[in-house]
Amino acid sequence: MSEPNTNKWWINRPWREIQTNLREIDMLDINAEQFVADLQQFKANVVMINAAGIIASYPTKLPYHFQSPYLTGDSLKDIIAACHKADIKVIARTDFSKVRRPVYEMHPEWAYLSPKGHIVDYNGDVHVCLNGDYQQQYAPEIIKEAITELDFDGIFFNMGGYQVKDYSYNYYGICHCDSCKTKFAAMFDGSPLPKEENPNDPLFKQYMVFKQRTLRDYAEKMYKVILGVRPDICIANNFELKEGFIRQESNTAFDRPLPHWQYSASDNTKWAVSSYPSMVSSNTTVDFPDYHHRHVAISPFQQKLRLAQNLANGGGLDYYLIGRLDNHEDKSGYEGIKEIFHYHAEQGEHYLNITSHSTIALLNGPSGNQAEFRGWFRFLTENHYLFDTLMVQNALNLPWDKYRAIIIPDYQPLSAEMTVALDAYAAAGGTVISVCRSGFQDEAYQPRKEVPLQCLGLDQVLTVREDNRSAYFKI
Ligand SMILES: [Zn+2]
């Protein structure tokens, strides 16, 4: 391995990523030169490839890291070297959400447990819990091995956090493993875990806080582990570190209600770019209509639209397919994707170091009313207003003085710090547009007894009338 380079290579570098999400059998006859030549056809300069987690795609020494039996093609080491020779950065794709059945049998206590006490075994992959020792103690060991044995430039974690569904979208509920029980009881005075995800249940409100805190701790722990051994690595989706890249997907899914959200790529890119300006936005266009139809591509026009929306909002390019580029069944998306990737290869410099001049901010976050948010998103976009999406998690760390208005689209849980900041912003001349129940809860999801915002000029506690369809104000 070469000497660690502390330069952050992803800064000031046009970003064109392709993720080849390999099946295990794709490693049987993978050819490093062919792999690079295919990426070059697209002028991709970043690639994400399977490395570690459920399956070790390189020879591992760790007993709880399931060794792929299919490593007869070129090695990951040779693939990475070939990519580097072509100035293509390589991101390690990892997935610590499951372990193969034999690993589970060595450590049943690592598994996710449903409220009824059942594990989830999906065709031999057993779901594991974020709070168990596998994710807490052993995943960091696997990562250290992968990024010291191999010269990766970045790392991505697939399906991180609390997973309650399997790949067939079957729902299993809140994890009730011993690690969760103990940790939750320690955080909330001996409380039992909530049985259901009911937003009105006080226990579940505590559980949402529990998830936030444990995920925050985990993110912090992981970036320390990674940067401790490789300070030059670009980490995905670490909002505690606030460096690296933000990886999202614009995708479709058969069970999702219509209509499709056609601003998906704009939406994903906009919040990433405006709320985390020091991170690269890498929103991917997912090639297939749904995971179970992964060998068939969606409309090439849809893929181009997503990529164009990424660029228009200041993000990078990203394309994701299952398998390799050379053996992919349905290549109908390639031409359109290449067109946008090639355009960016020529013009990419102009997309660097751009900053938003938006004068309106639209608030969003994990507990938003998405229908209301999307309504405002469309209203602003289709009336040609320039706007940013401010995520509540980082909004207070960003300057608001460029905004003439901040819109809160029925966003209920607002912290006291946020309501004070919004009042101060209004007092200084800004316009706050507060919709419906905004601020009706505090950040722990508890009902707020007082009027949430002084700037509304109201002197009594607000309630929502649900018995009328509409009302008009004549001003
Ligand atoms: Zn658990």
Side-chain angles (χ1 to χ4, degrees):
M1 204 191 96
S2 55
E3 274 295 297
N5 173 5
T6 50
N7 283 336
K8 297 187 172 106
W9 59 265
W10 57 95
I11 294 174
N12 291 328
R13 191 175 194 271
W15 181 282
R16 290 183 296 280
E17 173 170 312
I18 290 181
Q19 177 187 357
T20 52
N21 195 1
L22 303 185
R23 302 160 296 176
E24 287 173 79
I25 51 169
D26 287 318
M27 291 298 279
L28 279 172
D29 59 349
I30 195 166
N31 177 291
E33 274 181 29
Q34 179 71 45
F35 187 76
V36 169
D38 291 333
L39 293 169
Q40 284 177 319
Q41 289 279 312
F42 284 78
K43 299 190 190 291
N45 61 7
V46 182
V47 66
M48 192 195 295
I49 189 166
N50 308 53
I54 304 171
I55 301 289
S57 301
Y58 62 91
T60 178
K61 298 182 190 76
L62 302 171
Y64 40 83
H65 198 194
F66 192 88
Q67 180 69 68
S68 168
Y70 299 103
L71 303 181
T72 51
D74 283 347
S75 67
L76 260 189
K77 198 173 190 164
D78 289 343
I79 294 166
I80 295 169
C83 287
H84 284 169
K85 216 169 136 191
D87 195 27
I88 296 169
K89 301 291 184 184
V90 187
I91 313 267
R93 179 187 185 276
T94 69
D95 190 328
F96 297 102
S97 64
K98 301 163 193 71
V99 293
R100 279 283 152 101
R101 183 85 197 196
V103 177
Y104 157 74
E105 278 161 5
M106 288 192 281
H107 287 281
E109 76 280 9
W110 289 351
Y112 158 95
L113 274 191
S114 74
K116 288 180 182 153
H118 301 308
I119 62 161
V120 180
D121 180 339
Y122 192 86
N123 300 327
D125 287 337
V126 180
H127 290 209
V128 288
C129 176
L130 175 87
N131 294 313
D133 276 353
Y134 176 70
Q135 291 206 41
Q136 294 289 336
Q137 309 298 335
Y138 293 93
E141 294 308 311
I142 292 174
I143 289 167
K144 278 194 246 174
E145 181 190 71
I147 62 178
T148 47
E149 293 284 320
L150 296 161
D151 193 12
F152 283 113
D153 305 290
I155 188 163
F156 168 77
F157 300 91
N158 190 55
M159 296 190 90
Y162 291 85
Q163 300 292 337
V164 290
K165 288 180 184 169
D166 64 21
Y167 288 129
S168 294
Y169 307 126
N170 296 307
Y171 176 79
Y172 297 95
I174 292 167
C175 180
H176 277 64
C177 76
D178 283 344
S179 308
C180 283
K181 280 183 190 163
T182 312
K183 232 175 182 173
F184 189 77
M187 201 181 283
F188 295 105
D189 297 326
S191 288
L193 288 158
K195 286 265 180 271
E196 285 173 13
E197 301 195 73
N198 170 6
N200 298 316
D201 172 10
L203 263 186
F204 181 66
K205 290 178 185 195
Q206 289 183 327
Y207 185 72
M208 288 197 285
V209 174
F210 171 75
K211 284 203 291 188
Q212 277 174 16
R213 288 188 195 162
T214 47
L215 286 169
R216 218 156 42 204
D217 290 349
Y218 195 71
E220 206 170 288
K221 175 189 207 157
M222 292 312 248
Y223 84 66
K224 285 177 180 161
V225 164
I226 295 163
L227 300 182
V229 287
R230 287 282 309 277
D232 57 329
I233 279 209
C234 184
I235 305 175
N237 301 341
N238 199 305
F239 299 102
E240 300 310 305
L241 178 63
K242 296 192 180 79
E243 280 184 2
F245 70 116
I246 299 178
R247 182 56 161 26
Q248 297 180 84
E249 290 185 5
S250 283
N251 55 28
T252 54
F254 274 13
D255 299 336
R256 203 175 292 164
L258 294 170
H260 290 312
W261 176 229
Q262 285 300 358
Y263 294 108
S264 161
S266 289
D267 182 1
N268 288 348
T269 306
K270 193 182 279 293
W271 75 252
V273 168
S274 46
S275 291
Y276 295 91
S278 56
M279 297 172 81
V280 173
S281 171
S282 191
N283 178 59
T284 200
T285 172
V286 176
D287 189 67
F288 45 84
D290 204 338
Y291 202 75
H292 313 91
H293 309 81
R294 54 193 174 274
H295 302 301
V296 181
I298 59 158
S299 151
F301 306 106
Q302 178 79 74
Q303 308 230 42
K304 282 172 72 177
L305 175 69
R306 291 167 177 169
L307 294 171
Q309 287 184 355
N310 285 359
L311 289 185
N313 286 280
L317 295 179
D318 197 318
Y319 168 51
Y320 156 39
L321 75 163
I322 298 285
R324 302 190 313 243
L325 286 164
D326 64 326
N327 65 7
H328 193 40
E329 288 287 340
D330 183 351
K331 298 184 171 74
S332 61
Y334 284 15
E335 196 184 331
I337 291 157
K338 277 184 195 165
E339 191 188 317
I340 309 256
F341 270 60
H342 287 200
Y343 162 77
H344 189 253
E346 280 160 28
Q347 308 291 336
E349 301 295 323
H350 299 302
Y351 286 90
L352 290 175
N353 296 318
I354 50 176
T355 49
S356 155
H357 286 255
S358 301
T359 55
I360 299 168
L362 180 60
L363 202 75
N364 202 13
S367 305
N369 173 346
Q370 287 311 300
E372 185 66 25
F373 169 78
R374 288 180 178 182
W376 282 94
F377 198 102
R378 281 195 60 191
F379 165 76
L380 293 167
T381 301
E382 292 167 15
N383 287 283
H384 305 286
Y385 288 105
L386 293 178
F387 67 102
D388 289 343
T389 303
L390 276 187
M391 298 302 272
V392 283
Q393 303 96 312
N394 204 35
L396 291 170
N397 300 321
L398 299 164
W400 293 0
D401 47 351
K402 69 174 181 170
Y403 300 126
R404 292 174 58 201
I406 297 178
I407 303 163
I408 317 165
D410 192 30
Y411 199 90
Q412 290 201 60
L414 295 180
S415 67
E417 292 77 16
M418 180 65 88
T419 58
V420 167
L422 285 164
D423 278 333
Y425 167 78
T431 299
V432 173
I433 299 174
S434 174
V435 182
C436 202
R437 298 162 298 177
S438 295
F440 274 32
Q441 296 177 346
D442 65 19
E443 66 181 329
Y445 309 94
Q446 299 303 324
R448 182 170 262 123
K449 294 190 179 63
E450 66 279 15
V451 174
L453 295 166
Q454 295 304 312
C455 65
L456 298 180
L458 299 164
D459 56 9
Q460 58 178 21
V461 178
L462 299 166
T463 52
V464 177
R465 260 192 81 173
E466 301 195 25
D467 60 345
N468 62 335
R469 296 288 293 177
S470 66
Y472 291 89
F473 290 102
K474 189 169 184 182
I475 300 170

